[in-house]
Amino acid sequence: MAMTDDRRPAHSRDVPFAMRDTLHVPRERYYDRAFFELEKEFLWPRVWQMACRLEEIPRTGDFVEYEICDQSVLLIRQHDGSVKAFHNACRHRATQLCNGSGRLPGGQIVCPFHGWRWNLDGTSSFVYGAEGFAPECLRPEDIRLQECRVDTFAGCAWVNLDPDARPLREFLSPVARLLDSVRAENLRVWWWKETILNANWKVAQEAFHEGYHVMATHPQLTFDMGEDYPFGNVEYAGFENGHGRFQGRFDPTAGGISQGRGGETFLERSRVLWEGQDAMTLERDLHVFRSVRNRLQPGEDFATAAVRALIDYAEGAGIPMRPTPEGLRLWGGQVFVFPNFMLLPQFGNALSYRARPYRDDPEWCRFEVWSLTTYPEAEEPGRASLKGRFAPDDTENWGLIPRQDFGNIERQQRGLRSRSYEQHRLATEMEQIISNMHIELDRYLAG
């Protein structure tokens, strides 16, 4: 399906500041209260969204709370290893049952207010003072916890508050295939942090929908090339369902990971990526790449040899990271899953982002960052936990690369309020993932 196909129902509501074409985005979409309220009512309750990584709830009885706007959902690992998701509200007087993450003692969900209890599957197990209630208030089907749609894919649990939502794999088309190609199901948390940004959630994630910003935002990655840094070395695609991807313009099956890139440049870029964010490229990878220096055959492309050495190392260490040719092309690129999840894979690792509204304010968002890697099959890293919430300019906890991005994100939000500014002017190809996302967003708000 073409990304511009109109799939709105025949009778649709008007969307304020709607997308009129693929090249312009009205500024009000990033701060207008009425537009934000439409998102709360017609986007977040109806769309599949990544709620947690599965290693956050590895054992029976482990739970994690997922919050989106004014809604709270509990995801709980079941006795059979499956995951269930429940609206986080007691069936008695609406008290939130659990906060954050943890493990349910005795396999019971307990209301902290009056002590009502539920089994892991949401069925009622105890009502304190049950004899004081009329029978119609305690019908089992009424007092069991109310479930949300939940499914698992790519090492994550996904939820949808709409009981009539289409299946997850149908929603994920066609990027599910791309996530499979980079073995996303094998990725595990290396570290996980979050920050609060003074920016709309869409502003925050759009910074990562294109590589066009690298020249000005991350000059250390261009090795003093300045404006000679090639912006056209990346290809972009917006897909149906609002998803997208970008990747390098090369064919890994035709003689080179990155033709023309010298060994020292490849190594230096790898070092800068590791030191600048400790994600996508890790110290382990750098050690393997450096070992290639003395083993390169005459005329052999260094980058190709380095990646081959990394794959050989992984096989010897029992690390299940071998990508398909399609997945190899995605190394250094991005897969975007509408509306707010991103995966940037490279070398059997990945950088992952999730952006959400924060405290009912359209100009603030909660922005999470995961560094993911592939561990040896016999070395599961244990339960994943958030390292903390850190200010966007915290030099102790954020590397140079994310600090550069965070600074621009907040400056962009401030610029949107300029009386001189009316709308974004998007590049035809390089920024098409942004317009594609907004067009899909309008379908939810209008439907």
Side-chain angles (χ1 to χ4, degrees), residues 23 209 232 234-237 249 426-433:
L23 303 180
H209 287 348
V234 177
E235 64 178 43
Y236 299 85
R249 292 187 187 277
L426 300 183
T428 307
E429 180 187 6
M430 293 181 296
E431 295 171 314
Q432 65 174 284
I433 297 174

Side-chain angles (χ1 to χ4, degrees), residues 328-378:
L328 195 59
R329 289 197 68 187
L330 276 165
W331 279 9
Q334 184 224 54
V335 178
F336 168 60
V337 180
F338 181 87
N340 67 329
F341 176 73
M342 291 154 279
L343 190 78
L344 292 80
Q346 183 167 273
F347 304 146
N349 313 309
L351 192 59
S352 186
Y353 299 123
R354 179 173 63 183
R356 289 180 278 171
Y358 181 66
R359 289 192 174 174
D360 200 40
D361 191 325
E363 296 194 75
W364 288 84
C365 73
R366 179 179 177 182
F367 194 82
E368 290 164 276
V369 183
W370 287 265
S371 176
L372 307 171
T373 191
T374 313
Y375 290 84
E377 291 180 302

Side-chain angles (χ1 to χ4, degrees), residues 187-206:
L187 293 169
R188 302 289 183 270
V189 172
W190 178 246
W191 55 257
W192 169 27
K193 306 173 188 177
E194 72 175 12
T195 192
I196 303 300
L197 296 174
N198 187 185
N200 182 267
W201 65 276
K202 299 183 292 297
V203 169
Q205 70 180 25
E206 287 169 13

Side-chain angles (χ1 to χ4, degrees), residues 184-295:
E185 74 278 5
N186 294 329
L187 293 169
R188 302 289 183 270
V189 172
W190 178 246
W191 55 257
W192 169 27
K193 306 173 188 177
E194 72 175 12
T195 192
I196 303 300
L197 296 174
N198 187 185
N200 182 267
W201 65 276
K202 299 183 292 297
V203 169
Q205 70 180 25
E206 287 169 13
F208 307 98
H209 287 348
E210 40 81 7
Y212 178 52
H213 71 281
V214 171
M215 184 279 293
T217 302
H218 308 299
Q220 74 276 21
L221 297 179
T222 72
F223 301 101
D224 299 320
M225 293 181 69
E227 294 175 5
D228 291 330
Y229 185 73
F231 63 83
N233 59 356
V234 177
E235 64 178 43
Y236 299 85
F239 298 126
E240 62 180 299
N241 299 317
H243 312 312
R245 70 105 176 92
F246 67 77
Q247 62 188 15
R249 292 187 187 277
F250 61 85
D251 183 354
T253 65
I257 297 299
S258 183
Q259 291 88 345
R261 183 188 298 178
E264 291 307 312
T265 302
F266 181 92
L267 289 172
E268 180 63 9
R269 182 177 176 83
S270 297
R271 183 193 65 78
V272 170
L273 281 170
W274 166 55
E275 292 184 352
Q277 63 184 9
D278 191 27
M280 296 178 70
T281 300
L282 304 184
E283 186 176 19
R284 175 184 69 186
D285 310 318
L286 196 56
H287 286 313
V288 174
F289 297 154
R290 285 171 173 163
S291 73
V292 175
R293 275 174 166 156
N294 300 322
R295 296 188 284 121

